[in-house]
Structures are given as structure tokens and as C-alpha cells.
């Protein structure tokens, strides 16, 4: 009995919450809306009472009655107004009834549903403006592409590892495509919301937490179609992804081998500081030239697709080819030691071999110095791989601008490791 009373009280509050919002929208006079605070409160309480008294048949009968009342209200509104009255209030009335039913079953979930319903109803103007004015046709199309990759391609890709790909699963490559597309989408949104310079810095730094190689590939491909000032800013943003590599190494160490964190802190801090300084100097040095170019080329920018599926698929194909080559080399020549295996694994990603070395140290199979040197080797080899990706996607000049910051970052980390040991 106490649970039923709690559900009824929650349903009452939910009906009042949604009803207050609809009361402000219904207007006044003969052409006012069909439902307001009293109607929504009564409908929500009706759902709660139906669930409390006779779950099943009475709930279904009440839902049918509310649906018929909503249909009659829409018919009346369409006769009273010459323009399309819309279906929002009528559909919200049916949803409010179901919220009342849910309040008796799970009061917390029912209250959350009511809050979401009221928020959606109150955000009408902003949602319409976003859909009709802010969101472009190209952005909508690419959002559907991203949803298709995330909800269809990735789940359907085989998850089993293939020996001839060095133990790599096709789903991993599909995940890489999704990661690159997500980075492209995030950078596009940041560019529109924050503006060019801030968006580039943010996309470069945050993209490095997901994949520094993918971030560099994305920004490098974009730089080929830009003018010189923007190319410099893209290269500086790509260099910022090097700081994320060291930050993520610290996070891995804190989880996998906490005892090694103080020893890793000095080299990681040196690498982070160098990458941040190099990226910031690149962004600042090209800001004046970028402003002059913007003034000379005033006017709306040409429409640009947020996602570049061909570029993402190319990087994933390159990952598969490298993995197959590494698997063949190991089959033919065998393993030449733990450091050689770390270097091979770091060609595609630095975080996996770093985590493996830290786990071996935690298990007592590697000393602290050996684990730190293996981590530095992984980042060093991956830096060479990222420089090659930068040259392939953005050209030699882009690779030089990005590579010098990444190499200096690794050098600073190595120097700090040598001094601390």
C-alpha cells in the first residue's frame, strides 16, 4: 500500500510538471490548446490508478480512452485553425498517461521520464531552430552515416582475431573507422561553435586521447585543401595530440601499475610540457597571418562535409596491411626479444605496448627501469609512425611542422628519464 501511495504522489508531481509547461503554451480564447495543467495532471493520475488497481486490462483500456480523447482534441484543433495545429500536445498526453503507469512500477524512472518529456516540450523553439537553421543538409547526411557505422558496421564486423592479421580482429578496424569519423565530427562541431583557432586546439588535444595517429591523419588530410596560414594552425593542433599520448600513459600507469607512477611522472611531464609549448607556439605564430587571410577572404566559407569516409577507410586499410606484414615477419623470422615486440606493436599504437610493459612490471617480470624504457621506446617508435602518417596525409611541410614537436617531446621525456635514473 505504501508503494502505491508513493507512485500516486510521484505521478501527481509529474502531471503538474508537464501540465505547467503545456499551460503556458495552450494560449487563451476559443482557439486555445486542448490540454493544460489540469488535463495532464488528471491523465497522469489516471495511468497511476489504472496500474495500481488492475494492471493489464484496465491500463490498456485507459490508454485507448486517452488515445481517443487525444484524437478528438486534434480533430477539434484542426477545425478551429486554418494552419497545421501540430500533434505535440496530443502525443504528449498519451505519453503522460504511460508516465503515470510507470510511476507506480518504478517511481524514480517515471519521474525521470516526466522530466525529459517536460524538457523536450519546453525546448521547442531551440530544437526547431537547430533542425531548420543551424543543421545543414550535409551535416544531417553525415550524422546518418556516423550512426550507420556505429550501429550497423561495428556490431556486425567479426570480433574474432585473425592470425594472419597478427591477432587483429576486423571489428578493431571498424572501430578505428568510427573513431576517425567521430574525431572529424567533433572537430567540425567545435569549429562551428568555438571558431577556428580554439576548435583546432581542442580537436587536436582531445583527439589525441582517442588516437593521436588518427588525429594527425585527419588534420593532415584537411590541410591539403587549406591556405598556408590554416595549414600552420592545423599542424600545431596535430602536434598537441602528442601531449595526450603522455597524459594517457600516466592514466594507464595509475590503473595498471600505481607503484611506477612517481617514476613515470617526470618524463611524462617533460613530454607533455614540450608538446603543449610547441603546439601553442605554432597556433600563436600563425594567428596574425590567419587574421590577415580571413580579412582578405571575407565572406561565408564554402560548404564542407563534416565527415570524410574515404580518409577513415584508408587509415583502417593501412592498419590491416601493417598488421598483416608484422604477422608475416614474426612467422618468418621469429621474435627477437621483448623490446623488438614492443617496437613492432608501437608502429600502430603506443598505448597497448605501454600497458603491456606496465602489466609485466606489476607482475614482477620487468624492473622499473626496463618498464620505463619500454614505454619510452613505444612512444618513440610510434612517433616515427605518426610522422610517416603526417607526411602521407598532409605532405612534407605538414610532417616537418608536426614531427619536430613530437620528436622534441620524446627527446625531453628521454632526457628527463635519464636524469631521474
Amino acid at each position: 500500500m505504501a508503494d502505491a501511495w508513493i507512485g500516486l504522489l510521484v505521478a501527481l508531481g509529474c502531471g503538474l510538471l508537464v501540465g505547467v509547461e503545456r499551460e503556458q503554451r495552450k494560449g487563451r480564447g476559443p482557439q486555445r490548446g486542448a490540454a493544460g495543467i489540469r488535463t495532464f495532471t488528471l491523465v497522469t493520475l489516471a495511468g497511476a490508478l489504472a496500474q495500481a488497481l488492475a494492471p493489464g486490462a484496465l491500463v490498456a483500456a485507459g490508454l485507448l480512452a486517452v488515445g481517443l480523447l487525444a484524437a478528438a482534441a486534434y480533430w477539434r484543433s484542426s477545425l478551429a485553425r486554418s494552419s497545421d495545429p501540430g500533434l505535440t500536445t496530443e502525443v504528449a498526453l498519451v505519453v503522460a498517461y504511460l508516465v503515470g503507469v510507470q510511476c507506480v512500477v518504478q517511481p524514480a524512472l517515471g519521474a525521470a521520464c516526466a522530466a525529459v518529456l517536460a524538457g523536450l516540450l519546453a525546448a521547442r523553439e531551440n530544437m526547431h531552430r537547430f533542425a531548420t537553421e543551424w543543421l545543414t543538409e550535409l551535416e544531417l547526411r553525415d550524422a546518418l552515416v556516423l550512426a550507420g557505422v556505429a550501429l550497423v558496421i561495428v556490431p556486425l564486423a567479426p570480433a574474432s582475431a585473425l592470425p594472419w592479421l597478427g591477432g587483429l580482429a576486423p571489428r578493431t578496424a571498424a572501430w578505428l573507422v568510427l573513431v576517425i569519423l567521430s574525431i572529424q565530427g567533433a572537430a567540425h562541431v567545435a569549429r562551428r561553435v568555438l571558431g577556428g583557432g580554439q576548435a583546432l586546439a581542442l580537436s587536436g588535444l582531445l583527439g589525441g586521447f582517442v588516437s593521436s595517429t588518427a588525429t594527425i591523419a585527419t588534420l593532415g588530410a584537411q590541410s591539403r585543401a587549406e591556405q598556408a596560414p590554416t595549414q600552420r594552425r592545423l599542424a600545431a593542433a596535430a602536434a598537441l595530440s602528442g601531449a595526450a599520448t603522455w597524459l594517457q600513459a600516466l592514466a594507464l600507469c595509475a590503473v595498471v601499475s600505481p607503484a611506477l607512477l612517481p617514476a613515470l611522472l617526470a618524463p611524462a611531464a617533460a613530454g607533455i610540457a614540450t608538446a603543449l609549448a610547441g603546439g601553442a607556439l605554432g597556433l600563436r605564430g600563425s594567428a596574425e597571418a590567419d587574421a590577415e587571410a580571413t580579412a582578405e577572404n571575407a565572406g561565408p566559407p564554402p560548404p564542407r562535409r563534416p565527415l570524410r569516409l574515404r580518409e577513415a577507410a584508408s587509415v583502417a586499410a593501412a592498419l590491416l596491411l601493417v598488421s598483416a606484414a608484422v604477422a608475416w615477419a614474426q612467422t618468418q623470422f621469429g621474435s627477437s626479444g621483448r623490446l623488438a615486440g614492443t617496437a613492432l606493436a608501437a608502429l600502430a599504437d603506443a598505448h597497448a605496448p605501454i600497458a603491456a610493459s606496465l602489466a609485466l612490471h606489476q607482475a614482477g617480470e620487468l624492473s622499473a627501469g626496463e618498464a620505463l624504457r619500454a614505454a619510452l621506446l613505444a612512444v618513440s617508435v610510434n612517433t616515427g609512425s605518426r610522422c610517416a602518417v603526417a607526411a602521407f596525409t598532409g605532405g612534407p611541410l605538414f610532417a616537418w611542422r608536426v614531427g619536430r614537436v613530437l620528436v622534441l617531446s620524446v627527446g625531453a621525456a628521454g632526457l628527463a628519464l635519464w636524469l631521474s635514473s
Side-chain angles (χ1 to χ4, degrees), residues 5-21 37 40-42 44-45 48 99-100 103 110-111 114-115 118:
W5 277 106
I6 292 175
L8 290 173
L9 290 175
V10 173
L12 175 63
C14 293
L16 290 172
L17 176 65
V18 179
V20 165
E21 195 283 331
I37 184 170
F40 272 89
T41 303
L42 290 174
T44 309
L45 282 175
V99 167
C103 286

Side-chain angles (χ1 to χ4, degrees), residues 210-227:
V210 182
S211 173
S212 179
T213 303
T215 302
I216 291 173
T218 299
L219 297 177
Q222 183 181 342
S223 71
R224 287 185 178 272
E226 300 291 348
Q227 300 297 324

Side-chain angles (χ1 to χ4, degrees), residues 385-399:
S385 178
R386 283 179 284 176
C387 291
V389 169
F392 176 74
T393 57
L397 185 57
F398 179 83

Side-chain angles (χ1 to χ4, degrees), residues 292-330:
E292 294 177 357
T294 302
E296 293 175 359
N297 301 286
R304 175 187 300 169
R305 295 206 64 167
L307 305 183
R308 295 173 295 281
L309 186 58
R310 181 180 300 176
E311 170 194 326
S314 300
V315 174
L319 172 65
L320 293 175
L321 290 175
V322 169
S323 299
V326 170
W328 177 83
Q330 289 179 338

Side-chain angles (χ1 to χ4, degrees), residues 10-97:
V10 173
L12 175 63
C14 293
L16 290 172
L17 176 65
V18 179
V20 165
E21 195 283 331
R22 285 292 90 185
E23 187 71 32
Q24 294 181 348
R25 302 282 187 180
K26 66 182 292 186
R28 299 291 184 270
Q31 294 187 348
R32 67 182 182 273
I37 184 170
R38 292 178 298 175
T39 304
F40 272 89
T41 303
L42 290 174
V43 165
T44 309
L45 282 175
L49 286 171
Q51 177 64 28
L53 295 175
L58 188 56
V59 172
L63 181 61
L64 178 61
V66 173
L68 292 175
L69 289 175
Y74 178 77
W75 178 73
R76 173 182 173 274
S77 299
S78 63
L79 292 179
R81 303 180 188 178
S82 58
S83 59
D84 182 14
L87 275 170
T88 302
T89 299
E90 289 75 12
V91 173
L93 204 61
V94 177
V95 176
Y97 175 84

Side-chain angles (χ1 to χ4, degrees), residues 124-390:
R124 181 185 64 176
E125 286 81 4
N126 291 332
M127 294 177 68
H128 286 183
R129 189 180 304 112
F130 171 79
T132 58
E133 299 178 12
W134 201 83
L135 188 67
T136 66
E137 184 178 354
L138 286 176
E139 290 169 342
L140 176 61
R141 189 182 308 167
D142 283 353
L144 295 176
V145 171
L146 184 62
V149 172
L151 301 177
V152 179
I153 296 179
V154 171
L156 293 181
S160 57
L162 301 178
W164 59 275
L165 282 179
L168 185 70
R171 184 171 294 180
T172 304
W175 269 110
L176 181 61
V177 172
L178 180 59
V179 164
I180 296 174
L181 293 179
S182 301
I183 293 172
Q184 293 174 354
H188 178 80
V189 172
R191 189 185 302 112
R192 292 197 61 183
V193 174
L194 301 176
Q198 294 179 354
L200 286 177
L202 186 64
S203 62
L205 182 60
L206 297 183
F209 285 100
V210 182
S211 173
S212 179
T213 303
T215 302
I216 291 173
T218 299
L219 297 177
Q222 183 181 342
S223 71
R224 287 185 178 272
E226 300 291 348
Q227 300 297 324
T230 305
Q231 289 178 349
R232 289 193 291 271
R233 297 180 72 84
L234 287 167
L240 288 174
S241 66
T245 301
W246 288 110
L247 286 169
Q248 197 159 359
L250 288 175
L252 288 172
C253 187
V255 174
V256 178
S257 181
L260 197 59
L261 186 60
L264 182 60
L265 187 60
I272 292 169
T274 304
L276 290 177
L281 288 175
L283 289 171
R284 181 179 179 182
S286 59
E288 184 177 350
D290 195 17
E292 294 177 357
T294 302
E296 293 175 359
N297 301 286
R304 175 187 300 169
R305 295 206 64 167
L307 305 183
R308 295 173 295 281
L309 186 58
R310 181 180 300 176
E311 170 194 326
S314 300
V315 174
L319 172 65
L320 293 175
L321 290 175
V322 169
S323 299
V326 170
W328 177 83
Q330 289 179 338
T331 302
Q332 296 295 320
F333 306 106
S335 175
S336 57
R338 188 177 290 111
L339 292 180
T342 300
L344 287 174
L347 287 173
D349 177 61
H351 299 131
I354 289 176
S357 301
L358 295 175
L360 289 174
H361 170 71
Q362 185 68 15
E365 298 183 18
L366 279 182
S367 66
E370 290 174 332
L372 292 175
R373 286 192 293 272
L376 181 62
L377 175 64
V379 178
S380 302
V381 173
N382 190 251
T383 295
S385 178
R386 283 179 284 176
C387 291
V389 169

